[in-house]
């Protein structure tokens, strides 16, 4: 069975790389990869486990996204 996945569109490639390095689903053992669509837009593809509440939409991915985004911010810009 192919793993399920969700896409999050991200802007610049260097931000995508930093985000990807820091992103993980807090509810499953997901794996991530970068994909480029036919328009050249980079996407973070998250392969969630079957039954993951984020994949099913029961829980939001916002906390995971916030953790990944915060990890990409240099410590000199953090309070």
């Amino acid at each position: 069975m192919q793993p399920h996945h969700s896409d999050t569109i991200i802007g610049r490639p260097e931000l995508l790389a930093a985000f990807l390095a820091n992103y993980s689903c807090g509810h499953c053992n997901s794996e991530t990869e970068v994909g480029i669509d036919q328009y050249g837009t980079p996407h973070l593809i998250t392969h969630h486990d079957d039954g993951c509440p984020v994949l099913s939409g029961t829980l939001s991915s916002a906390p995971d996204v916030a953790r990944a985004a915060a990890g990409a911010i240099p410590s000199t810009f953090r309070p």
Side-chain angles (χ1 to χ4, degrees):
M1 174 187 244
Q2 292 291 326
H4 297 287
H5 70 273
S6 59
D7 290 359
T8 303
I9 298 175
I10 305 294
R12 300 185 335 233
E14 62 273 12
L15 292 177
L16 177 62
F19 185 86
L20 178 61
N22 292 297
Y23 182 85
S24 66
C25 179
H27 302 283
C28 73
N29 296 314
S30 62
E31 294 182 10
T32 57
E33 65 179 304
V34 176
I36 305 290
D37 67 15
Q38 67 269 24
Y39 304 106
T41 304
H43 294 258
L44 171 67
I45 302 170
T46 306
H47 299 276
H48 293 279
D49 295 340
D50 288 337
C52 176
V54 173
L55 176 65
S56 66
T58 304
L59 294 177
S60 172
S61 65
D64 302 321
V65 170
R67 280 192 301 274
I73 299 170
S75 60
T76 53
F77 292 102
R78 294 184 194 176

